[in-house]
Structure formats: structure tokens, C-alpha cells
Amino acid sequence: MRVKGEPVNTTEPLSGAPLSFEGKAAMMERALGTAGISILFQDANLAIRYAENLPDHLKPSLIVGGTDLHLFGEKDGEHLLQLKRGVLESGKPVTAEVELVTGDGVRIYELKIERVGGRKAQGLLSVISEITETRHREKVLKSLLRELSHRSKNLLAIIQGIATQTARHTVSLDNFLIKFRGRLQSLSNSQDLITDSSWRGAYLFELAEKQFAPYWPDAGTPMPIYGINAHLTPNAAVHLGLALHELIVNSASHGAISAGATSITLNCKEAELNGKKAIEVAWSEHFYFPSDHEFEDNSFSRTVLERVVPTSMNGRAQFAIDDDSIGYRLTIPETEYEILKRR
């Protein structure tokens, strides 16, 4: 009787359940099939003597007495033969990968190769498993990480530019902190939408609502966003968010929002740019009292609207300011948006 907790000796038949050698072999074959693992045994001359559970597309190439050249093709076969000769000589196991072109695409297999026998090698045992999906996931992950690194560097460059230009156009530390924090929050709001979409971008209306929200005077009053709800690329979303922030903050400090009025419209319509499809995002604001503003000729706000934003997306911008109105039109090329739904 086996004592509780005592390990089972798997090399001997279990008491009360005798198994023949043939029975054990059948169980092993079933386990191999379930696990999706193949076994290949080659003698000391690297001739194939035994194979079990080979994938269907390898079975026609199996020749007992043949070599890896027959089974895997000339290129991979020669590479494997060189590796296996080294294992026979050194006794050190190795791992190799081969890519096989099949009717349903390229499949990748991993071979774990080790010598069988003591000092005098009897042959080689190769355990073969398919790793196609694993390698595909690794490639996708590496691609995503490269994209994330690229976008992070771009984002840091934007933040550095905002910090530098904000400092250049402010005269006190307090003023710098107020403006820089606001611009950084604007960038963060845009980035939240981009991240939520798995870096595909953001819808124009959601982007505008995010930028309006901290400054809009009446939560019960709909925000004045009209036209086409275009889906913007990450680049366009970040930079348009910055432009909207400058317009909204000025309005909240000096313009229509500060007076509690809603004489603002943000409208998106189809347009053309250099003979190609585009959209035009237009800001129109009216106020009925003399007003200061943030848009002096050399101000950072004006630089963002007239130069930074349109240049970042190869677009075009028009900015006009009068005693009683502010108008801004940004034309965005078709490379920076899609029209997925209309509102």
C-alpha cells in the first residue's frame, strides 16, 4: 500500500492497475496528440528512424532512413543537420526554429534537440512544437512597443515645446504655471481619448467636449458643436485639442464664455485642400462689449493657431480677430481623418 504523500513511481506499473508496455505507449501517443507535440528520433548518422504525431503537412515528407533535408527542405534541413552534428559531438542540447510554408500560411516550429545515449551517442531525439501564434504575438507586441516609444517621444517633444514657448511669452512664474498647467491638462484630455481608442485617434465632437468641459458656464446648455463628427488621427487630435484650448481659454478669460453668453459655434464641414478632400473646422465667436484677448502678434497662443497646428498636419489655418468677433478656420487634409459617422 502506498503511504499518503509518497510520490508515485511512474516507471513501474501501478498496483491494482497493471499496464503493459503497449498500454503505456498508447497512453503516451494520446498525450502527445493532445499536447500538439511531435517526436523525432534519428540515429547516430542522423537518419530518421522514428516519428510520432507529426503535423499533417510534414507527414508526406517523412522518409524512414531519410534526413532533415527530406523532411524540412534543403535550406532548413541543412541548417538542422549542422546543429545536430554539433549536438552529437558535444552532447549539449540546442533549440532551433524552422518556418514551413503550408497551404494556409507560414507555420513556425521549435525543435528541442538532445543526444540519446551515454558517451557513445545512439542518436538524437527532437521534440517538435508549433509556436506560430507565440511568435505572431511577439511580433505584434514588439510593433506596439515601437509605436508606443515613437508616440511617447513625440508627446515629450510637444510638452517640451509648450513649456519653452509658454516660458518665453510669460513675465512671471505664477503666470507661467497657470498657463502651462492648463495646456498640459488640455494635452492630457486629448491623450485620454486617444489611449481609450487603442491609439487609433479621437472623434472631433468628443475631443471638443473634453476641451470645453472645464470652462463651459452651464452644464445644462448643449455645447455648440455642429457638422461632421470626423474621426481624427492621434496627431490631428493632439494638435487640434491644443488649438481649441487656446480659443476656449481666451473666451473664458476675455470673451463670450466669460460673459456667460453662448455666442460661439464650432462647425465641421467637408472642404478641399490643394484639390483633395479635406474638412474645415471653424470656430466663430461674437461678443458685445470691448474685450481684451490673448492673441497679440507674437503670443504663443497665436503661434499655436496659425503655425504649429496647421504645420503639424500639413493643413491650412486662417485666423481673424476684430473688436467684436474671433474667427478661426483650420483645414485638415484627408490623411488626418476619416468620416465614420455623421451627426
Side-chain angles (χ1 to χ4, degrees), residues 28-43:
M28 290 299 294
E29 288 178 11
R30 182 179 298 178
L32 285 174
T34 303
I37 295 174
S38 307
I39 299 294
L40 184 70
F41 176 74
Q42 293 162 274
D43 62 23

Side-chain angles (χ1 to χ4, degrees), residues 143-180:
S143 176
L144 289 173
L145 289 174
R146 284 195 296 269
E147 180 69 10
L148 179 59
S149 175
H150 173 70
R151 292 186 185 279
S152 297
K153 289 177 181 177
N154 285 347
L155 196 58
L156 288 172
I158 291 171
I159 293 171
Q160 185 180 34
I162 290 173
T164 301
Q165 294 300 323
T166 301
R168 183 173 296 172
H169 293 91
T170 52
V171 295
S172 71
L173 178 59
D174 288 344
N175 187 248
F176 165 79
L177 290 174
I178 291 170
K179 290 182 178 295
F180 180 67

Side-chain angles (χ1 to χ4, degrees), residues 215-218 221 251-264 285-289:
Y215 306 95
W216 195 242
D218 184 0
T221 302
S251 182
S253 300
H254 310 289
I257 295 177
S258 68
T262 56
S263 54
I264 297 172
E285 177 181 5
H286 294 273
F287 31 85
Y288 306 102
F289 53 91

